[in-house]
Amino acid sequence: MSAYLFLLLLVLIGVIAHNQSIIIASSVLLIIKAVGFGDQLFPTLASKGIHWGVTIITIAVLVPIATGDIGFRELWNSIKGPVGIIAFSSGIFVALAAAQGVQLMRVDPVVTTALLAGTILAVGFMKGVPVGPLIGAGIAALILGGFNLIQKWF
């Protein structure tokens, strides 16, 4: 019963915060659970959902290439200046950090729960975008690695 209440609370948070992503995601999960397909669908969504989501985001990001709006010339010109170099470097950094984050989420379920809570808060009330768990886990992994390194020195 608490899962239903939690999902309903998330729908309410989405409505209050005018966040369509939270409303849709929570409603879909609530419907799947209420109809009785949770046992069949939730394991697949939990194990493959992040991969599917990243794939859909990647498709959306690549649309300008498919439409011809961005070609090799635009790509090359975009990384020539300081802003482009910073953006290019940031893209590399977050992709590598997210890879570390996925590993951390697999190893420590407590981290996943805390990241989920932070993501819900940011998406629901701060107009955040729900890609945060991967990046958040990556940043957490880097910070935890830094703490572990400091502890070894002392």
Side-chain angles (χ1 to χ4, degrees):
M1 189 62 160
S2 68
Y4 287 104
L5 292 175
F6 202 152
L7 289 169
L8 282 171
L9 176 64
L10 290 174
V11 171
L12 181 63
I13 288 170
V15 169
I16 292 168
H18 305 288
N19 190 298
Q20 191 175 17
S21 296
I22 292 283
I23 296 168
I24 292 170
S26 302
S27 297
V28 166
L29 293 174
L30 193 58
I31 291 166
I32 290 170
K33 186 163 183 62
V35 174
F37 293 138
D39 290 342
Q40 294 87 4
L41 293 177
F42 289 162
T44 302
L45 288 172
S47 67
K48 299 193 184 308
I50 289 175
H51 177 70
W52 293 341
V54 169
T55 300
I56 290 170
I57 290 169
T58 303
I59 290 168
V61 169
L62 295 177
V63 166
I65 293 171
T67 61
D69 292 337
I70 295 177
F72 288 110
R73 181 178 306 158
E74 290 80 11
L75 176 62
W76 177 249
N77 288 336
S78 74
I79 59 173
K80 283 184 177 177
V83 172
I85 292 169
I86 291 169
F88 182 77
S89 301
S90 296
I92 292 170
F93 173 77
V94 297
L96 294 174
Q100 294 298 311
V102 169
Q103 180 61 27
L104 180 62
M105 289 169 69
R106 283 188 190 129
V107 172
D108 193 347
V110 172
V111 169
T112 303
T113 305
L115 287 165
L116 177 63
T119 300
I120 290 168
L121 176 72
V123 169
F125 296 107
M126 300 174 194
K127 304 217 184 276
V129 178
V131 296
L134 286 178
I135 303 304
I139 292 168
L142 293 172
I143 291 171
L144 290 169
F147 282 145
N148 289 338
L149 189 62
I150 291 170
Q151 282 181 334
K152 287 180 183 178
W153 288 346
F154 298 102

